[in-house]
Amino acid sequence: MDASKQRSAGFQPSCSYKRIQPFISYRPGSARKCSTAVLPNRPRVGTKTSQAPMETLKGPLDLTGFVAANAPAESAQSMAVLFSSISVAIKQVAGKVARAGLEGLYGVAEQQGGGSGDTQKKLDVVANEVLKAVLSANAEVVMLASEEEDTPVVLRQLGSSSGGSGHGGYVVVFDPLDGSRNIEAAIPTGTIFGVYRVPAAAAPVGDDDLAPVLQPGTELVAGGYSLYSSATMMVISIGQGTHGFTLDPLCGEFMLTHPNIKIPARGQIYSVNDARYYDWPEGLRKYIDTIRQGKGQNPRQYSARYICSLVGDFHRTLMYGGICMNPRCHLRLVYEANPLALLCEQAGGAASDGQMRIREIIPVKLHQRLPLFMGSPEDMTELMLYDDVQQLDGKKYDV
């Protein structure tokens, strides 16, 4: 059907230049720029999470400007510079993920390494190198720790960053590419990161000193994740709520699209690999049996949604509510659990290892693993009533 017949039949184009124009400032012969105009406050179809009005937030809608305007005054400049570097790295990783098939980046890396013990994919290695290179060039970053590295990387003398921030610099921990086993299937993947501050008076330490990265999650000053999917997103917290930004391909900037995310008090979705049901402890089996029959505190039957990508499963839980979990000692406290727990709590949710609050656990090893349960506060409270929910048998699965 040609355009004239579509119009006469009542068809309307799904988008048009007029709809895009208010958000883009563009003149022929000039670079495209994202507008700093406030996006209208309107409900998002299919999104059940609640969001505060834009008026409660300060400053522009681009990521770096937002951080500069909303971070604590004493660290606003250094934090904005840090997030600028993180966003650059994430854009580069997003490009590699999108072009993986074209650039021969599918499959297992030829040389295996890293401290996590998992099989490294080619993209794991590439993403790790990108993040290391970009963050190493940031004068505010004094130490890095990656899931793909055996030991932390000390960049500068701890306790004295060269960025003039007035504190001792930042320690950044990260999982470069979460869910990489799904790469060949084009299933959503992501990057997870957490940021700690080094006190200005901190004593210099050696390369083998793990104290700066083995801080409890309560000491995180920022955290976030990127999601590589139908859109590239960054969801962050700088200690004042959880906020989502979407990469605008027209101008190459992350723009605020999900301000002040609030996870619903209760959801109707659980996310777990329940093929392991018969290996679970009795308490967890009873909980799952109860909610999927609609016999729990929520009279509605729950549905299962699970894609085996922690960022993807957590992002859906954050948006729609419910609970996501891995009851085995499988996920990393430093690189995955603590940053996501910060985001979950800042959005009004809860995160636990099945016994205690994630962010109160003091790490004792760099690659320490633990069970992880995160989600809506009422769902998490109900789960904890069953007590015996951790699968601690140490069983491994060959997949």
Side-chain angles (χ1 to χ4, degrees):
M1 184 182 292
D2 60 34
S4 61
K5 290 181 180 180
Q6 287 181 350
R7 286 192 292 270
S8 64
F11 284 87
Q12 295 295 327
S14 59
C15 63
S16 67
Y17 179 75
K18 289 184 178 179
R19 291 185 63 187
I20 297 175
Q21 180 66 18
F23 305 102
I24 303 296
S25 175
Y26 175 72
R27 299 191 310 275
S30 67
R32 289 175 175 171
K33 298 180 180 179
C34 294
S35 167
T36 56
V38 174
L39 295 173
N41 290 318
R42 61 183 184 274
R44 293 176 175 82
V45 176
T47 299
K48 299 180 181 179
T49 187
S50 60
Q51 297 167 357
M54 290 291 298
E55 289 77 7
T56 63
L57 303 174
K58 299 182 293 183
L61 299 181
D62 67 284
L63 174 65
T64 305
F66 176 89
V67 172
N70 291 278
E74 67 275 9
S75 60
Q77 182 177 352
S78 63
M79 190 71 73
V81 171
L82 174 61
F83 268 90
S84 177
S85 294
I86 293 173
S87 69
V88 167
I90 285 174
K91 291 172 194 176
Q92 292 185 21
V93 173
K96 290 295 184 182
V97 169
R99 292 182 52 82
L102 301 172
E103 297 186 11
L105 294 177
Y106 286 154
V108 176
E110 292 183 4
Q111 294 185 343
Q112 293 293 305
S116 69
D118 292 340
T119 300
Q120 283 185 309
K121 296 294 188 74
K122 292 179 182 178
L123 270 174
D124 287 321
V125 176
V126 169
N128 187 53
E129 291 302 317
V130 167
L131 282 154
K132 283 172 58 182
V134 174
L135 292 174
S136 296
N138 188 309
E140 296 289 349
V141 181
V142 298
M143 194 173 192
L144 300 173
S146 168
E147 181 183 310
E148 303 300 331
E149 301 282 340
D150 292 320
T151 59
V153 179
V154 178
L155 303 173
R156 297 166 184 87
Q157 181 178 331
L158 298 182
S160 57
S161 76
S162 58
S165 58
H167 59 78
Y170 293 112
V171 175
V172 183
V173 299
F174 54 87
D175 177 355
L177 194 62
D178 171 73
S180 58
R181 68 172 59 188
N182 291 321
I183 284 294
E184 287 85 349
I187 289 174
T189 54
T191 297
I192 306 172
F193 62 90
V195 181
Y196 294 95
R197 182 180 287 119
V198 177
V205 299
D207 291 354
D208 58 348
D209 193 324
L210 302 180
V213 295
L214 296 185
Q215 301 184 59
T218 51
E219 298 300 314
L220 281 167
V221 296
Y225 63 82
S226 61
L227 177 68
Y228 311 119
S229 186
S230 57
T232 297
M233 290 192 65
M234 279 185 69
V235 178
I236 71 164
S237 177
I238 50 177
Q240 301 184 47
T242 297
H243 313 283
F245 297 77
T246 302
L247 181 61
D248 185 344
L250 293 178
C251 61
E253 296 292 340
F254 280 100
M255 305 299 292
L256 182 64
T257 52
H258 296 67
N260 282 343
I261 296 171
K262 297 297 180 185
I263 190 170
R266 181 179 288 278
Q268 200 178 336
I269 296 173
Y270 72 91
S271 179
V272 66
N273 184 359
D274 52 11
R276 314 300 185 206
Y277 176 90
Y278 293 104
D279 294 328
W280 292 345
E282 182 180 2
L284 184 57
R285 291 201 306 270
K286 284 185 177 180
Y287 170 74
I288 294 297
D289 288 342
T290 299
I291 62 172
R292 63 186 178 189
Q293 294 179 75
K295 296 180 179 179
Q297 295 177 5
N298 184 350
R300 295 183 176 183
Q301 289 180 279
Y302 278 51
S303 294
R305 300 285 187 273
Y306 179 70
I307 58 176
C308 195
S309 174
L310 178 59
V311 167
D313 284 318
F314 176 69
H315 185 73
R316 182 191 55 248
T317 302
L318 195 62
M319 294 292 104
Y320 297 141
I323 190 167
C324 66
M325 65 186 87
N326 189 327
R328 299 165 52 214
C329 285
H330 180 71
L331 298 172
R332 292 82 175 169
L333 174 60
V334 172
Y335 310 109
E336 297 168 316
N338 270 332
L340 295 184
L342 170 67
L343 296 169
C344 190
E345 291 182 355
Q346 286 288 315
S352 168
D353 72 342
Q355 293 292 327
M356 66 181 295
R357 181 188 176 205
I358 286 291
R359 294 178 64 202
E360 292 180 348
I361 299 173
I362 299 176
V364 295
K365 294 189 298 183
L366 189 59
H367 296 283
Q368 182 174 338
R369 297 177 186 246
L370 78 176
L372 181 59
F373 304 84
M374 299 181 292
S376 297
E378 293 181 10
D379 285 307
M380 286 292 294
T381 298
E382 183 176 1
L383 170 70
M384 293 299 103
L385 295 177
Y386 289 80
D387 188 47
D388 184 20
V389 296
Q390 297 175 314
Q391 182 184 341
L392 302 177
D393 56 9
K395 185 174 181 178
K396 295 183 179 181
Y397 302 92
D398 184 16
V399 179

